[in-house]
Amino acid sequence: MNAIAPFSSHEAARQWLSRLAQTAVAAVHPDALLPDNLPEPPKGRTLVVGAGKAAAAMAAALERAWQQRYPEAELSGLVVTRYEHGAECRRIEVLEASHPMPDDLSEKAARRMLEAVEGLGEDDLVIALVSGGGSALMTLPAAGLTLHQKQQLNKALLRCGAPIREINTVRRHLSAIKGGRLAAAAHPARVVTYLISDVPGDDPTLIASGPTLPDDSTPADALAILERYAIEVPDSVRRHLVADTSAPRRDDAGFARDEEVVLARAADALEAARLAAEESGLAVRVLGDDLEGEARDLGRAQARLALTLQGEITEPVLILSGGETSVTVQGDGRGGRNVEYLLGLFEALKGAEGIHALAIDTDGIDGSEDNAGAQFGPDCWARAKAARLAPLDYLARNDAYSFFAELDDLIITGPTRTNVNDFRAILVLPRTA
């Protein structure tokens, strides 16, 4: 097979990468995941709770599959998702709240879920539908703390470039619902948690800060993280983190019957893309599904890899990676980690012929903007120069969104209603001379 043929023009390569990204996202959508993973109905009630960017789509897929398999079995509940990420459900109520910054509706949703699981018995079943974004969407401050305090600490953690595992450790220990507390409130009912992972390493306790899963971190760990990044800690928060003992333990008897199932992860999206690329005759290098670090630095590192690889190959190669980078915000521009990664990559490549790249957040929203990410080809360097766009200036302002908007290279999909974090693809064609 002549693998170069599909990339005979810049536009052909662009369209191929776009279709590849669509294939990756489709592989991790709830519609493809839940029908084969239903639990048996219990003797008592079945109550659904959940939070995350994929929670409404998960609820809709669960409802349809439940109706087909158990048409006589009762099902009810409520989930919360990001604004405009809803899906049509008949038995499960869908609430919407703010992300990435929690709002009053985030707190109301959390309170309603705790109220919903009160008084359940050991013959009842709770199905928890959890995906990335749930930490902000289901926010209930611990006793003595306020929503405003959590908002300010969340904003500081997001701006300082802390990795998601550290951010969620802090969130868990400032919460009255995360870190297994929602499941503890539901016991003695059995809790089955279905997760779509957006965290590097796919630790279930980190996804949406683990509302139904206890973990081994401590309040002291959370305080140490805040101090490491020199984040101002209000006295009430410090007192709470020094004295709190409310988190359930892994060995608490109530968790013995519980179960968690990770339905999808970044590796699944990358595998779908790998298979599709190999069907097109490409060799594929998967760098990992859990890459972290500063977004622009990862872009520059992968640019060096692509240039080195290009000097060694005679057939096209696709480089894939996933994970969740971070951005240390120092400017006042518009952006997200995927476009910041791409701009670092773009600047380092400097228009190298035969290298095309795409990066998106699989939920369809890169940061807090309206785009999923962006893509570029070697022709974009000349177009940027003609438009007097200086990549380093845009990086200094954390303004990668505006840079790619000027080139009309943003990718806007709208909400995908799933979330396994970043999907990055670099197509490297052999040098022609």
Side-chain angles (χ1 to χ4, degrees):
M1 178 185 296
N2 181 2
I4 297 179
F7 316 120
S8 55
S9 69
H10 294 315
E11 182 59 24
R14 179 187 185 91
Q15 292 299 322
W16 186 88
L17 278 175
S18 179
R19 290 193 298 272
L20 188 77
Q22 292 168 14
T23 297
V25 171
V28 293
H29 192 277
D31 288 349
L33 307 171
L34 273 158
D36 295 329
N37 286 281
L38 297 184
E40 294 287 332
K43 293 180 181 178
R45 297 177 56 199
T46 300
L47 181 74
V48 178
V49 294
K53 297 173 188 175
M58 294 172 79
L62 173 68
E63 259 197 15
R64 289 192 296 270
W66 191 270
Q67 176 64 31
Q68 290 174 2
R69 188 172 300 179
Y70 312 122
E72 304 302 321
E74 178 243 356
L75 185 75
S76 63
L78 69 158
V79 300
V80 59
T81 192
R82 183 175 178 164
Y83 293 124
E84 299 182 1
H85 284 59
E88 185 175 349
C89 293
R90 303 174 73 177
R91 301 192 195 183
I92 302 167
E93 183 180 0
V94 176
L95 309 174
E96 295 186 359
S98 176
H99 182 279
M101 199 58 56
D103 61 7
D104 291 344
L105 293 179
S106 308
E107 185 170 355
K108 289 177 182 177
R111 291 189 186 281
R112 285 195 57 192
M113 282 185 211
L114 281 178
E115 292 168 359
V117 301
E118 285 181 358
L120 295 176
E122 62 182 16
D123 288 335
D124 298 321
L125 171 66
V126 174
I127 299 176
L129 306 175
V130 179
S131 64
S135 285
L137 295 165
M138 185 174 59
T139 296
L140 185 60
L145 306 184
T146 68
L147 179 61
H148 178 71
Q149 287 173 329
K150 292 200 70 174
Q151 289 170 328
Q152 294 304 110
L153 291 171
N154 190 49
K155 183 184 295 184
L157 285 164
L158 291 171
R159 290 183 65 87
C160 75
I164 190 63
R165 63 182 178 276
E166 294 185 339
I167 294 173
N168 282 0
T169 295
V170 173
R171 287 165 164 171
R172 277 196 301 275
H173 292 288
L174 299 179
S175 176
I177 195 168
K178 300 181 178 76
R181 292 174 177 86
L182 178 59
H187 294 153
R190 178 171 179 250
V191 180
V192 177
T193 303
Y194 294 102
L195 303 116
I196 294 179
S197 174
D198 71 326
V199 297
D202 303 313
D203 181 348
T205 68
L206 292 179
I207 303 167
S209 302
T212 56
L213 303 169
D215 77 306
D216 296 323
S217 69
T218 67
D221 295 330
L223 183 58
I225 290 166
L226 292 169
E227 291 177 341
R228 185 182 313 131
Y229 291 101
I231 294 172
E232 184 177 351
V233 182
D235 290 343
S236 58
V237 172
R238 186 177 295 275
R239 286 194 299 270
H240 171 78
L241 292 176
V242 168
D244 182 50
T245 59
S246 66
R249 295 168 51 88
R250 287 181 186 267
D251 58 1
D252 287 354
F255 292 97
R257 295 196 303 147
D258 290 357
E259 180 184 0
E260 70 265 8
V261 179
V262 179
L263 295 171
R265 49 186 66 77
D268 299 318
L270 294 179
E271 177 65 5
R274 182 188 69 81
L275 291 173
E278 289 180 348
E279 288 178 1
S280 295
L282 272 73
V284 181
R285 295 197 182 186
V286 180
L287 303 182
D289 62 7
D290 58 354
L291 302 189
E292 298 182 272
E294 195 71 25
R296 65 179 68 184
D297 293 341
L298 182 64
R300 288 164 172 158
Q302 292 194 356
R304 292 191 293 271
L305 172 63
L307 289 168
T308 299
L309 188 60
Q310 191 179 47
E312 303 170 350
I313 61 174
T314 58
E315 293 289 336
V317 173
L318 180 70
I319 301 172
L320 295 173
S321 65
E324 181 172 3
T325 60
S326 53
V327 174
T328 301
V329 179
Q330 297 175 325
D332 58 357
R334 301 176 67 186
R337 60 180 182 266
N338 285 286
V339 289
E340 179 124 343
Y341 155 84
L342 276 176
L343 190 51
L345 178 71
F346 180 86
E347 193 278 327
L349 288 175
K350 295 180 168 50
E353 274 301 319
I355 300 180
H356 304 254
L358 172 150
I360 61 167
D361 193 320
T362 54
D363 69 4
I365 306 295
D366 188 23
S368 57
E369 299 295 345
D370 60 358
N371 64 312
Q375 65 183 126
F376 66 82
D379 59 313
C380 295
W381 184 261
R383 291 198 288 118
K385 287 187 68 174
R388 299 178 182 269
L389 304 177
L392 289 176
D393 290 346
Y394 282 84
L395 279 171
R397 299 195 299 271
N398 297 113
D399 200 19
Y401 176 99
S402 299
F403 182 88
F404 288 109
E406 289 284 349
L407 293 176
D408 197 25
D409 282 326
L410 293 174
I411 297 174
I412 299 177
T413 64
T416 64
R417 294 170 176 81
T418 190
N419 182 19
V420 295
N421 257 326
D422 304 339
F423 173 82
R424 298 179 287 266
I426 304 173
L427 174 62
V428 183
L429 305 180
R431 290 177 182 153
T432 56

